[in-house]
Every structure is written in structure tokens, then in C-alpha cells.
Amino acid sequence: MMSSIQTTITPHNQQPYVHRTYPTQEQLDGIITNAVEAQKKWAQVPLAERIAIGHKFIENFKLMQDEIPLDLTLQMGRPVSQGAGEVRGLVERAEYMLSISESQLEDVQLTDTDKSGFRRFIKRVPLGVVFVIAPWNYPYLTPINSVLPAIIAGNTVLLKPSPQTPVTAERLVDALIKAGLPKDVVQVTHLSVELARYVVRSPRVEFVSFTGSVKGGRVVGRTAAEGEGFKGVALELGGKDPAYVREDADLNYTVAELVDGAFFNSGQSCCAIERIYVHESLYDEFVKRFAEITQTYRLGDPTNPSTNLGPVVSLASAVRIRKQIDDAVAAGAKKLVPEELFPIARPGTTYVAPQVLVDVDHSMDVMKVRYSSFNVGEFDRVAYRRRVLDQSSA
């Protein structure tokens, strides 16, 4: 029998942090019903009032800025010194989305194509209930992209956070409610995979927004298609992101930027740089500088303000990353970063030493595969370098 309780494990010490209880299917039906009923009233609230609530939400969220970094660290492992950036990012995105709300939601007049006796226009109306499935790697910055536009447009939202970061969604909703958002316009739903699929299939849910892995995106897309009717689905999925360093690149700028792009958030970013193709005229110097900077990282306890590289999110993720590296080396790749520089990175822990590989090819998983799952995505903390002759071969 599947457990009805989810437990969040703090990555760096493997201790339970918080527990949440899943609703029964009957309770979940009630949650959806509440969202449907709340949406009918919320859609009648004037847009200017909805936008005003959005601005109050931002002010309330800012009041949490001193609490959020450590809370994030204990949920998903990012160094506490780097948590403030996500707070700033949410505020910037929210302010921008609110600033364009009126223009984006007004009717689109089609006067250029009007015929005599006709008035043509596109009227923008709320969809209804929106289901947002949020990831753990940026659990504030990512869901705000879906939650805020949805409610400003007059929809209601069911927000499912990752089991790794359940408190983040609760903080968002708390700030919204304190801003004056009516009850049930946004509801946090802690759900198992099967319950999440149940919501995706529900004919009373009009739109699903999912951010996560390709594998998870396929599950969401197929599940939505299995339900009654036709609903909208937005999928923002991870990849195996490459960078290309041209022969005219300024290495004094480029190297440090790409190191940060590869290893920030322990490489656990949807757009993290995982493959780098370097023009052969710069290759040797680029690789030398990249490895040197990588060796200066301070891998350790993420609650220590001096740490700038924390653990990966789970033991399973650490095992997969180490296997990717070992398999690549067995197939001919070469490691450039001595592992003894990072003694805390031991098997059986979530600490994984940053690594740079050269002599890779496209037959290796490290060049093709990003491990992930429906609820929790695993990313790679390895940067791969490949020499190219010119831009056309990159």
C-alpha cells in the first residue's frame, strides 16, 4: 500500500525536515470543487484589484527574505549564501508580469480586417482551474511564472510543490492570502504521483503547467490527453545544454561565466551548462583556466556562509552522477580535477566533487543523458569539454 505521508530529507545531513500528508481522492475532489467555485467569483473581481493584490503579495514576500535562504538550504541543499538571489529573482519577475498585465489581458482589436457591419476582436477570458506542478531546484522562481499570471488573469490555481520543497509553496500562498487573495483561489496540494495524475486527467482542470524533466513532461502530456475533453498543457523541460566558445571569445570573461553556469546550484539548473564546445584555437587555454577555477570551489556544509558549492539533492542523484563519470572515464574520457581536493565528497553522501572531463564523445551518456524523474529531477555536476575546428562543426 502506498504511503499517504511524504517526508522531505535534508540533503546534506540526510535527516527528516518536514512531513506532509496526502489527501484522499475524495478530499482531492473537494479541493478541485473549491477551486472551481472560487474561480467563478474571482473572475468577477476587476483586473485593477487583482493587480493590486499582486503588488501587496510582493511586499509580503519581501518580509520573508531573511527566513527563506536557510529554509531553502534545509529543503534542497543550496548554500545559504546563495538563497537571496532567488528572492530577488521572484520579485523582479513578479513586478514585470504585473507591469504588463493590463496590456496583455486587454481585448485585441482586429480593425484592420473588419468588414462593413462587422467588429472583429479577440477577447481574453480566464480558463478556469490551473494545475501548477513546480520543481524543487528553483521552487520560488519557477512557479511564480505560472501562478501569478494565472491568478491575475482570473483563474484559480492548484499548486503542487515538489516533495523536496513543500514549504516553499506554503510560503507563497501565505503571502498571497495576507495580500487579500480570497480563500481557495490558490491552494497548495501535496500529492503522490498517482494523485497528481488524477488532477491532470480531471475534466474540471482546464490547464496544466509542468516544469521538470523530459520524462516527467511526457507523463504529464500523455495523462492530460487521456482525460475528458481537451486541456492546455505547458511543459518547460530540462535538456543537455551546450555552450559554444568561438575563436573571438574573451576568455577573461567567458571562462568564469561558464564555470558558474555549470556549477551554480550544484549544477541543478534547467539551463545549466553541461557541454562546452571550444574552438581549437582557444581550446587548451580555455580548458586550463576552466579546471583551475573549478578547483577553487568550496564544497561543504551548505549552512556555512563560506560554502559556495553544496550537496546534490539526494543520495540517488549522487550515485547516478558518479556512475556517469566512471562510465565516461572507462570509455576514454579524462578527468582534470583531482578528487582529493574535495575530501568531503565520499561515496554514500550527497557531496559530489565538481569535475571537468575532456576527450569525450557523443556515444557517452555524459554527452546525452540528464537523469530525472516525475517528482524529483536529478542533474549532473560535471562539465564536459570538446574541441571543435570551427563554428559549423560545433
Side-chain angles (χ1 to χ4, degrees):
M1 182 176 178
M2 186 175 295
S3 173
S4 62
I5 297 177
Q6 72 176 33
T7 300
T8 299
I9 302 297
T10 296
H12 76 280
N13 62 20
Q14 289 299 289
Q15 295 300 307
Y17 184 57
V18 292
H19 305 276
R20 295 293 182 267
T21 302
Y22 298 140
T24 64
Q25 187 169 304
E26 183 179 3
Q27 290 171 329
L28 186 53
D29 282 332
I31 291 170
I32 297 173
T33 296
N34 292 342
V36 171
E37 294 304 314
Q39 194 274 327
K40 296 173 184 176
K41 297 177 181 178
W42 177 240
Q44 302 306 312
V45 174
L47 177 59
E49 292 184 26
R50 289 184 240 145
I51 293 173
I53 289 174
H55 284 295
K56 290 178 183 177
F57 155 73
I58 293 174
E59 295 307 311
N60 290 335
F61 185 75
K62 287 179 181 177
L63 297 176
M64 303 177 181
Q65 62 187 349
D66 293 334
E67 307 166 19
I68 285 175
L70 180 59
D71 189 45
L72 265 180
T73 298
L74 297 176
Q75 288 180 84
M76 50 78 67
R78 184 185 306 150
V80 69
S81 61
Q82 298 168 354
E86 187 160 1
V87 175
R88 292 193 298 270
L90 180 145
V91 169
E92 290 172 1
R93 291 187 182 186
E95 289 176 341
Y96 173 73
M97 288 186 285
L98 292 174
S99 74
I100 64 171
S101 293
E102 291 189 46
S103 64
Q104 294 302 303
L105 293 173
E106 66 185 7
D107 293 347
V108 179
Q109 304 300 326
L110 302 175
T111 54
D112 291 344
T113 63
D114 279 349
K115 294 181 179 181
S116 178
F118 290 86
R119 176 178 171 237
R120 297 178 175 179
F121 64 97
I122 299 172
K123 185 173 182 62
R124 291 179 166 133
V125 297
L127 293 170
V129 179
V130 176
F131 184 34
V132 177
I133 305 173
W136 54 263
N137 61 330
Y138 289 95
Y140 290 110
L141 196 59
T142 302
I144 199 63
N145 296 338
S146 303
V147 172
L148 191 60
I151 61 175
I152 296 301
N155 304 287
T156 51
V157 173
L158 303 178
L159 174 57
K160 178 198 173 301
S162 163
Q164 194 66 45
T165 50
V167 180
T168 58
E170 295 162 1
R171 286 186 182 275
L172 284 176
V173 173
D174 181 56
L176 283 164
I177 290 174
K178 288 178 178 176
L181 192 73
K183 185 176 182 292
D184 296 330
V185 172
V186 179
Q187 299 176 78
V188 177
T189 55
H190 301 293
L191 304 174
S192 66
V193 171
E194 285 306 315
L195 287 174
R197 286 175 170 163
Y198 181 78
V199 177
V200 172
R201 281 192 295 265
S202 172
R204 297 188 294 166
V205 173
E206 299 292 341
F207 194 89
V208 179
S209 174
F210 171 82
T211 303
S213 69
V214 172
K215 179 180 178 182
R218 288 195 179 107
V219 171
V220 170
R222 283 195 297 264
T223 304
E226 293 168 357
E228 298 178 27
F230 297 91
K231 69 184 66 187
V233 177
L235 305 174
E236 182 186 345
L237 311 179
K240 198 72 177 174
D241 297 342
Y244 170 53
V245 181
R246 292 167 30 128
E247 60 184 322
D248 59 353
D250 177 4
L251 294 189
N252 290 328
Y253 171 83
T254 302
V255 178
E257 289 297 305
L258 289 179
V259 172
D260 182 64
F263 296 120
F264 183 80
N265 207 35
S266 295
Q268 301 170 135
S269 301
C270 300
C271 55
I273 298 299
E274 298 188 54
R275 298 176 291 154
I276 302 179
Y277 298 83
V278 185
H279 192 277
E280 67 170 358
S281 64
L282 299 179
Y283 181 84
D284 291 335
E285 183 63 20
F286 178 91
V287 168
K288 174 177 173 290
R289 295 192 193 186
F290 196 102
E292 288 174 348
I293 294 175
T294 300
Q295 293 177 30
T296 67
Y297 270 91
R298 298 181 299 279
L299 174 66
D301 183 343
T303 65
N304 186 331
S306 67
T307 296
N308 65 359
L309 189 62
V312 294
V313 72
S314 68
L315 291 172
S317 181
V319 168
R320 293 183 184 117
I321 295 169
R322 292 189 184 99
K323 185 177 187 304
Q324 263 198 338
I325 297 171
D326 292 343
D327 288 350
V329 171
K334 179 183 177 183
K335 295 191 287 188
L336 299 184
V337 177
E339 294 178 355
E340 56 267 23
L341 294 176
F342 304 94
I344 197 172
R346 300 184 303 275
T349 74
T350 52
Y351 291 106
V352 180
Q355 188 54 264
V356 181
L357 298 181
V358 294
D359 299 339
V360 294
D361 63 57
H362 292 95
S363 69
M364 300 174 181
D365 274 359
V366 293
M367 295 291 282
K368 301 184 296 182
V369 178
R370 166 173 279 183
Y371 289 109
S372 53
S373 64
F374 185 53
N375 270 311
V376 180
E378 277 82 31
F379 298 75
D380 300 322
R381 182 191 286 167
V382 190
Y384 313 111
R385 308 287 162 263
R386 187 170 173 86
R387 186 192 306 263
V388 294
L389 296 176
D390 54 38
Q391 185 165 327
S392 64
S393 63

